[in-house]
Amino acid sequence: MATDTRVILICSGKGGVGKTTLTANLGISLARQGLTTAVLDADFGLRNLDLLLGLENRIVYTAQEVLEEECRLDQALVKHKQESNLSLLPAGNPRMLDWLKPDDMKRIVKMLKEQFNYVLIDCPAGVEDGFKNAMAASQEAIVVTNPEVSAVRDADRVIGLLNTNAIKPVQLVLNRVRPKMMANQEMLSIEDVTDILALPLLGLVLEDEQVIVSTNRGEPLTLNSVNSPAAKCYLNIAKRLQGEDIPLIDPIEESSGFGSKFRRLMQTKIF
Amino acid sequence: MAMTLRDIINRLLRRQPASASTARERLQLVLAHDRSDLSTELLDQMRREILEVVAKYVEIDVDEGAVSLETEDRMTALVANLPIKRTMTGQIKLKEPKNQSEENSEETEGTDQNS
Ligand SMILES: Nc1ncnc2c1ncn2[C@@H]1O[C@H](COP(=O)(O)OP(=O)(O)OP(=O)(O)O)[C@@H](O)[C@H]1O
Ligand SMILES: [Mg+2]
């Protein structure tokens, strides 16, 4: 039995910013570090975590049957083949949304806490009931956002709600960073986003085509493509979560090409 | 529209504000409002009332006065910037707050003098 389980809500406000991808990759990375990890799909309306992990064909029972006491927890948990430390608790039927209450989420998480070192909750988009139910069962949170005005604005709403509900720590993951655009100052910088949201940065994730390839295959990047740019970012995030002191990559340094370096030189020397 | 040489030079020298700084400014403004839950109308009404109160004590430049919300580190502050009119000798013009009826008559006098 795990004693000091960490229950982490992965949320964003705005949809499609990369919550589920982060949950899947963090789950794999933590499991690989030898930590027993449960990923809980709390997006009952539009579940996807099973697909990203390639576990969609192995689901027998879901959180719904567990709550209705039609099966035991271990019957519903789907263990990952390659990473046996990782298990998925699938979301039930969308009709669950009609009756699910914060206490139901708390019950599920309480059961998971007995067996796992980490419980990662993949939260639905929005700030309505789905989010509130998931938040009720969480201790800490990772807010995922993109360097875009709408995503940052929505993240701010969510952070406000997390603060009033005493969720802490709340850390930031900035996803879909495009180094070239940042170097050209056509994308909000890392400092812009962390200053505006006033959150510690757990890590950034580079924009990476391989994310789509990995989704097609149902194999998170951190499973088999550990050298892709985004995979390295996810692995670093998992290590930082474990308290390792891993320096951030400077996206502008990463961006190759004479143009951006020259421009930076111009900016620092001339202006 | 074709780019003039000046446009090209401006772009190369990055004189045109890049969109990231526009994004930052727009976000700071919209978040100040989101966080405070105050509508622009309410904010404007508050601004006018604050100016009225302050104008009882010192002569301020009502047109230049600005009251805004600013946020830093998730703390939102109400910031009032109220330029005080000075006399010819550079002193600040102070008013003696009077009781209600007298004060009203003085206010009308004041505006008469100004116009
Ligand atoms: N770093 C990245 N680089 C490229 N594409 C990415 C990256 N992260 C996420 N994506 C893509 O963005 C899309 C949304 O990702 P994901 O499903 O993880 O977001 P989400 O926040 O869970 O969405 P929802 O709010 O709908 O649940 C997917 O198509 C995914 O492949
Ligand atoms: Mg999702």
Side-chain angles (χ1 to χ4, degrees):
Chain A
M1 175 174 155
T3 44
D4 43 3
T5 309
R6 286 175 73 179
V7 183
I8 307 178
L9 182 70
I10 296 177
C11 57
S12 66
K14 186 171 154 61
V17 298
K19 294 177 292 296
T20 307
T21 313
L22 176 69
T23 309
N25 280 289
L26 267 188
I28 298 278
S29 311
L30 290 168
R32 189 157 288 175
Q33 290 183 51
L35 300 152
T36 53
T37 304
V39 287
L40 166 58
D41 192 347
D43 197 348
F44 299 103
L46 302 159
R47 67 183 207 192
N48 272 325
L49 189 55
D50 52 348
L51 263 183
L52 262 62
L53 287 166
L55 299 174
E56 70 274 18
N57 293 326
R58 295 182 37 215
I59 296 174
V60 183
Y61 296 110
T62 69
Q64 181 174 356
E65 286 80 28
V66 177
L67 277 171
E68 289 170 342
E69 290 173 13
E70 285 172 22
C71 75
R72 294 187 314 274
L73 177 66
D74 56 272
Q75 290 176 296
L77 286 170
V78 187
K79 195 175 266 201
H80 197 276
K81 271 170 280 179
Q82 256 173 286
E83 284 303 330
S84 59
N85 282 330
L86 178 69
S87 296
L88 164 75
L89 182 57
N93 191 295
R95 268 175 314 218
M96 271 181 90
L97 290 171
D98 298 339
W99 53 263
L100 197 81
K101 292 274 172 298
D103 279 345
D104 297 317
M105 289 299 285
K106 285 185 191 164
R107 255 173 69 208
I108 293 189
V109 168
K110 194 168 173 237
M111 286 187 251
L112 291 170
K113 277 172 84 172
E114 284 172 19
Q115 308 184 21
F116 294 95
N117 297 123
Y118 274 88
V119 177
L120 306 180
I121 306 180
D122 182 20
C123 191
V127 289
E128 293 81 30
D129 287 352
F131 164 74
K132 286 182 179 148
N133 289 340
M135 175 169 65
S138 310
Q139 285 152 3
E140 49 184 300
I142 296 174
V143 175
V144 187
T145 194
N146 298 158
E148 287 177 47
V149 283
S150 54
V152 174
R153 183 192 198 177
D154 290 357
D156 192 74
R157 281 285 308 281
V158 164
I159 296 163
L161 292 167
L162 294 168
N163 286 347
T164 42
N165 284 274
I167 305 285
K168 62 183 167 201
V170 179
Q171 303 183 83
L172 188 70
V173 166
L174 189 57
N175 187 27
R176 308 198 76 152
V177 168
R178 295 167 183 246
K180 277 211 182 104
M181 288 190 76
M182 274 189 187
N184 291 337
Q185 297 182 34
E186 298 292 2
M187 180 172 260
L188 286 166
S189 72
I190 314 289
E191 297 78 48
D192 285 342
V193 180
T194 51
D195 284 356
I196 288 171
L197 296 177
L199 282 190
L201 185 66
L202 182 61
L204 49 90
V205 183
L206 296 171
E207 172 81 25
D208 184 353
E209 288 178 358
Q210 293 300 312
V211 171
I212 296 170
V213 177
S214 75
T215 311
N216 291 342
R217 297 208 171 104
E219 294 172 3
L221 283 181
T222 42
L223 192 64
N224 295 325
S225 319
V226 287
N227 288 319
S228 87
K232 287 187 200 155
C233 299
Y234 288 123
L235 289 167
N236 284 344
I237 291 171
K239 287 183 190 159
R240 286 192 203 105
L241 212 48
Q242 271 293 96
E244 269 187 64
D245 186 16
I246 311 278
L248 279 174
I249 10 168
D250 181 351
I252 298 183
E253 291 288 302
E254 285 279 295
S255 86
S256 50
F258 175 70
S260 62
K261 290 212 175 89
F262 177 66
R263 203 172 291 124
R264 272 186 98 202
L265 205 68
M266 294 258 297
Q267 270 161 9
T268 45
K269 290 277 157 65
I270 300 170
F271 298 99
Chain B
M1 204 172 75
M3 263 193 165
T4 63
L5 184 62
R6 162 174 264 147
D7 285 342
I8 293 166
I9 292 170
N10 273 346
R11 242 197 117 77
L12 283 176
L13 294 177
R14 304 213 60 80
R15 282 201 187 123
Q16 242 179 17
S19 68
S21 63
T22 314
R24 185 172 52 236
E25 280 157 27
R26 292 178 62 217
L27 260 173
Q28 274 161 346
L29 206 67
V30 79
L31 288 185
H33 285 270
D34 284 359
R35 288 171 184 173
S36 68
D37 248 3
L38 279 177
S39 67
T40 13
E41 295 90 72
L42 263 174
L43 205 64
D44 198 52
Q45 189 186 333
M46 183 166 68
R47 187 185 73 90
R48 271 184 279 115
E49 286 178 18
I50 290 174
L51 289 177
E52 269 171 39
V53 171
V54 177
K56 282 187 195 168
Y57 299 88
V58 283
E59 271 196 38
I60 51 172
D61 197 337
V62 179
D63 297 330
E64 294 294 305
V67 175
S68 60
L69 290 168
E70 287 177 12
T71 49
E72 200 173 312
D73 273 6
R74 305 204 65 78
M75 287 277 291
T76 302
L78 187 68
V79 180
N81 192 336
L82 312 172
I84 296 170
K85 281 189 186 162
R86 288 177 182 248
T87 60
M88 299 277 275
T89 55
Q91 280 172 316
I92 292 170
K93 280 190 186 175
L94 281 180
K95 285 181 180 175
E96 286 278 312
K98 305 260 167 66
N99 67 43
Q100 200 62 43
S101 57
E102 273 179 287
E103 184 202 306
N104 282 344
S105 62
E106 208 221 32
E107 248 174 49
T108 12
E109 269 173 41
T111 29
D112 280 350
Q113 278 172 356
N114 278 349
S115 55

